[in-house]
Amino acid sequence: MLSWHDRMAGIGLALTAPALGAIVAVSPAQADIGSAGGPRVTHNSHSVTVTVPASSGAPGYSVDIATASLTVTTARGGRTVLATAGGATGGLRFHAGGAWQRATKVTGWTWKKGVLRLHAATTQNGVTAEALLTPKADRYSLSWSVKGGSPDQLGLAYDLKSGGHWYGHGETATPQGGPGVDQPWPLETGHVHDNAFGPASYEMVDPFWYTSSATGLLVDTGEVMDVAINDGGDGLGRFTVDSGGTYNATVFVEANPRDVYRDHTGVVGKPAKSDATYEQYTKPLWNSWAQFYTKVDQNKILDWAQKLHDNRIPGHTIQLDDKWESNYGNLTFDPKTFPDARAMSDKIHAMGYDFGIWVTLWINLDSTNYQYAADHGYLLKDKTDGTKPCKVTWWNGTAGIVDLANPDAKAWYVANLKKLMSTYRVDGFKFDTRFFDDSCAPDKGYKRADYQRLGAELADGFDLQGAGIRTHWSGSQKTGFVIRQIDKGTGWNSLAASVTQNLAISTIGYPFVETDMIGGSGGQPAPKKDVLIRWAQSAALMPLMYSSASPAGTNDVKTGKPVSYDQETIDRYRDAVQAHGRLAPYIWEQVKHSVATGDPIMRPLFFDFPKDAPAYTVNDEWMLGPAVLAAPQLTSGTARDVFLPSGKWFDVNHGTVIRGPKTLRGYRTPLDVTPAFVDLKAPGAAAAIRALNRTGTAPAAG
């Protein structure tokens, strides 16, 4: 094939090629396109266009590259579904010499062996950009790099409106307090900016985003990213990698968002299993953190457990959180606050609960284990001085981190955990904090993202008791762990955020989700009665329930005083837990389906009803599997509007059948009512109705 310069020789109009056949010839390597015709490349004086025809299971699309400014516009059926930013921002942008630069005019292109190669000028003198676009049936890869310069960041920027509404990302950092009290849904309705978006982040994040126009963006990197979505209301999505190397991305183009999700699952993998057992899906895990925070002791734990037991509030495990150790990292009970930990464990087991404890790989400098671990080379090394342990500051002091890439370090740590299990009848653990910190250096042959895998391998050897771990980044989806959210506040805004955050986490490939502890755990005053009840009702219609603040009485972290709730609080909380238990057989079927397919259990309405436009902006309802639509009360009111998509819906509270699409205005929600509806034609509908129907009325046939 002729080079661009050869094709241009003697031709006056820019980017006017000679014989059309020289450009559109398709090599045998394109057989995977799935269409007899394969992709076509055409061009005119202002653009180069790759057209991929529709094929079995793929809708077809086109990618148009404007040659005057190297903007990339993706279209399906003649309509734009995604477009890079133009103007001074630029779609392909890089940071060099202390300033942002961008690719500009396309100076040459070739189409060879299924790859469109583009060369472009940039705003930095003497520096060029090269981009490669490789189309497949339902996606294309886009990789690009800078030639002749020394950038320290590369990125793609998109016009958010071109894709419609945006989702994905995971937990969001926002000026409004996200992810603790704010999680915008869709993303562009908030202002998202995370400049430490990466494999070592404490937030549950993944470099995958998808849109209501059925496109998706997956960035293939193990580096830290700077991600901004409508930051400051600028209408842009900026996805920047903190590296000057090649930027690699995949853009999915499908018929609906659920197909985009499944494409992403095909790349990163689906859960190999669920780490939680059937019982852990049936009953809540009771963790002590929000009940006591660090003001905890043996008598308090036993009193808390006994009141839960006496009030017949189900649970499978009593899990002792932070501040049981003599010092962080010692992995020994503090004898002052837990004088007989084995007796405590025995009493908890006698009540019918398992017993678990909170652990971390972060060993504080004042721990007796710190010097031992340092002397034996068991700690991650400092990034700037490889002869010294890396020291990190966290909410409990300054620590070193056990180096899981060192087999001896891992064996030493595991031996400590197993000693706890045998000595104190500990059944499992809640692993907290991170497995790596960006101030540390990975071991030779390892990258920061590898520590997510190493942490998962460690945790997989123990019962996580429904608390799961917060491993993330592309590929972590395969581990199948329960994912617990970051700490929430105790107000209505946190309850709302817990819903949209679960939707975000489950639709980047982690289907076994739960909210933060019911009622919140963000160090705020104890939740009010109605917040605690409504949170329990909401969580009852999610895959798992994660509890702490007891309806039989909790404590106010601000005042240190006990907080009492009335009998109605106990009764309504128990009702929610029991409803969840009745749903467990239906939920377990969804767990098995997720292991088989990777599909999320808790998902937005538009996954199941992509043709119903209102479904794309509903942020307080969700589908639990294919049959149950959950619409719990998430505010202080006693009524709410409910949108029902297309189909026939059974109202479990009133025993009536409603045909959608329809918006129910002012649906009454007294404190004992949780709005939920069953899609009568969906798999599992009969089981869901048996679990949730409060009326005793059977839905009409037909």
Side-chain angles (χ1 to χ4, degrees):
M1 179 173 287
L2 295 173
S3 71
W4 180 83
H5 293 289
D6 292 336
R7 293 204 314 272
M8 290 298 100
I11 299 177
L13 291 176
L15 294 175
T16 301
L20 187 62
I23 321 169
V24 301
V26 178
S27 74
Q30 286 303 295
D32 63 343
I33 289 296
S35 169
R40 296 182 299 112
V41 175
T42 56
H43 70 98
N44 55 37
S45 61
H46 54 78
S47 68
V48 180
T49 302
V50 179
T51 302
V52 178
S55 59
S56 177
Y61 62 92
S62 64
V63 185
D64 186 85
I65 297 94
T67 51
S69 59
L70 189 50
T71 55
V72 182
T73 301
T74 305
R76 184 186 59 243
R79 183 174 69 89
T80 295
V81 290
L82 190 66
T84 58
T89 300
L92 279 62
R93 55 202 304 267
F94 61 99
H95 190 264
W100 281 102
Q101 312 289 345
R102 67 183 189 278
T104 55
K105 183 178 181 179
V106 175
T107 58
W109 61 272
T110 60
W111 169 250
K112 186 176 182 180
K113 294 184 178 179
V115 179
L116 179 65
R117 186 181 300 267
L118 300 148
H119 299 278
T122 76
T123 52
Q124 188 176 23
N125 289 336
V127 175
T128 61
E130 181 182 65
L132 280 69
L133 190 151
T134 307
K136 293 185 180 295
D138 53 6
R139 71 197 70 180
Y140 60 88
S141 64
L142 177 61
S143 62
W144 75 280
S145 57
V146 170
K147 307 297 181 182
S150 300
D152 50 50
Q153 291 179 295
L154 270 68
L156 291 174
Y158 287 95
D159 173 8
L160 293 175
K161 287 184 179 179
S162 68
H165 300 299
W166 286 69
Y167 314 91
H169 185 98
E171 295 174 335
T172 54
T174 74
Q176 289 73 37
V181 298
D182 179 49
Q183 178 78 27
W185 183 275
L187 287 168
E188 83 281 353
T189 61
H191 298 170
V192 177
H193 190 185
D194 188 345
N195 61 6
F197 186 98
S201 171
Y202 188 66
E203 281 74 33
M204 273 295 303
V205 294
D206 258 72
F208 171 60
W209 298 265
Y210 63 99
T211 72
S212 60
S213 67
T215 58
L217 172 68
L218 173 62
V219 180
D220 181 10
T221 183
E223 304 293 334
V224 174
M225 295 183 67
D226 185 327
V227 176
I229 300 172
N230 198 33
D231 186 28
D234 62 8
L236 297 174
R238 291 178 278 125
F239 308 96
T240 305
V241 175
D242 289 349
S243 170
T246 302
Y247 190 110
N248 295 306
T250 298
V251 176
F252 302 102
V253 189
E254 278 289 4
N256 59 68
R258 190 169 187 168
D259 285 348
V260 174
Y261 172 89
R262 287 171 171 169
D263 286 345
H264 172 251
T265 298
V267 175
V268 300
K270 60 183 178 63
K273 63 180 187 321
S274 165
D275 83 286
T277 65
Y278 178 78
E279 184 184 22
Q280 290 164 1
Y281 282 96
T282 304
K283 303 173 186 177
L285 162 67
W286 287 94
N287 176 283
S288 68
W289 178 243
Q291 182 74 8
F292 304 111
Y293 294 96
T294 58
K295 295 180 173 60
V296 64
D297 60 40
Q298 183 166 322
N299 289 334
K300 288 179 179 178
I301 288 291
L302 289 173
D303 180 64
W304 173 58
Q306 191 66 55
K307 286 180 178 177
L308 291 169
H309 178 269
D310 292 349
N311 281 283
R312 299 176 291 105
I313 304 171
H316 60 77
T317 297
I318 297 295
Q319 196 177 69
L320 173 56
D321 207 278
D322 192 354
K323 206 51 181 173
W324 60 270
E325 292 175 281
S326 52
N327 287 100
Y328 291 105
N330 274 359
L331 296 174
T332 56
F333 277 89
D334 186 335
K336 297 188 295 295
T337 49
F338 294 91
D340 193 345
R342 176 58 186 251
M344 174 184 67
S345 175
D346 288 343
K347 289 180 180 179
I348 287 171
H349 281 98
M351 295 181 208
Y353 302 110
D354 281 352
F355 176 57
I357 55 177
W358 170 96
V359 292
T360 173
L361 279 81
W362 295 38
I363 304 177
N364 274 14
L365 272 58
D366 59 0
S367 166
T368 55
N369 271 340
Y370 178 82
Q371 197 59 52
Y372 180 89
D375 290 344
H376 286 75
Y378 290 168
L379 302 175
L380 285 169
K381 299 300 188 293
D382 187 81
K383 183 184 291 186
T384 58
D385 185 349
T387 66
K388 298 179 179 179
C390 176
K391 296 179 182 179
V392 292
T393 300
W394 63 310
W395 58 86
N396 283 326
T398 303
I401 305 175
V402 176
D403 182 2
L404 293 180
N406 180 338
D408 292 337
K410 178 182 177 182
W412 169 76
Y413 184 74
V414 168
N416 276 280
L417 297 183
K418 289 186 174 179
K419 183 179 179 181
L420 284 166
M421 296 178 76
S422 61
T423 304
Y424 300 104
R425 289 186 71 191
V426 174
D427 301 296
F429 299 99
K430 172 187 172 180
F431 288 91
D432 204 1
T433 65
R434 292 169 283 132
F435 301 111
F436 187 79
D437 187 89
D438 282 319
S439 63
C440 304
D443 278 19
K444 185 177 181 180
Y446 290 87
K447 299 179 180 178
R448 57 170 64 86
D450 291 327
Y451 283 84
Q452 296 285 358
R453 173 180 56 81
L454 294 167
E457 290 172 355
L458 167 73
D460 207 25
F462 300 95
D463 181 2
L464 305 184
Q465 304 182 312
I469 54 173
R470 293 169 56 79
T471 54
H472 62 94
W473 212 250
S474 294
S476 292
Q477 289 85 349
K478 292 181 285 189
T479 60
F481 288 112
V482 171
I483 301 299
R484 63 178 187 272
Q485 295 179 2
I486 201 167
D487 290 11
K488 295 288 174 292
T490 58
W492 293 109
N493 55 356
S494 288
L495 171 55
S498 76
V499 167
T500 49
Q501 202 162 100
N502 263 357
L503 292 175
I505 294 170
S506 66
T507 58
I508 57 173
Y510 303 94
F512 312 130
V513 292
E514 61 194 8
T515 75
D516 180 42
M517 299 166 190
I518 292 168
S521 69
Q524 298 178 3
K528 302 295 186 184
K529 166 185 173 176
D530 50 354
V531 173
L532 186 61
I533 291 172
R534 295 302 194 185
W535 203 311
Q537 292 170 344
S538 174
L541 296 173
M542 296 176 183
L544 298 104
M545 298 185 76
Y546 183 32
S547 297
S548 185
S550 172
T554 187
N555 301 277
D556 192 317
V557 67
K558 295 296 184 182
T559 65
K561 296 180 179 179
V563 174
S564 297
Y565 298 111
D566 61 11
Q567 186 62 43
E568 184 182 27
T569 308
I570 295 172
D571 293 342
R572 297 289 82 78
Y573 199 116
R574 187 195 306 112
D575 289 346
V577 173
Q578 290 175 343
H580 182 79
R582 294 192 301 273
L583 263 179
Y586 169 81
I587 292 173
W588 189 246
E589 289 302 312
Q590 310 317 312
V591 171
K592 292 190 288 185
H593 180 78
S594 290
V595 171
T597 66
D599 281 356
I601 299 173
M602 179 178 173
R603 55 199 188 229
L605 303 187
F606 60 78
F607 263 45
D608 294 271
F609 304 96
K611 295 182 179 180
D612 289 322
Y616 288 88
T617 54
V618 172
N619 62 5
D620 57 358
E621 302 176 29
W622 62 91
M623 295 300 299
L624 183 71
V628 177
L629 186 152
Q633 183 70 46
L634 304 178
T635 69
S636 60
T638 56
R640 59 156 298 165
D641 293 346
V642 177
F643 172 71
L644 297 178
S646 302
K648 291 176 66 177
W649 298 91
F650 180 67
D651 181 342
V652 301
N653 289 293
H654 298 109
T656 57
V657 176
I658 304 164
R659 186 176 295 276
K662 185 175 183 179
T663 298
L664 308 180
R665 302 291 183 187
Y667 188 102
R668 297 291 299 164
T669 57
L671 207 50
D672 64 339
V673 170
T674 305
F677 304 82
V678 177
D679 183 349
L680 291 175
K681 293 187 177 180
I689 290 172
R690 285 194 299 271
L692 297 174
N693 187 8
R694 300 180 63 197
T695 66
T697 303

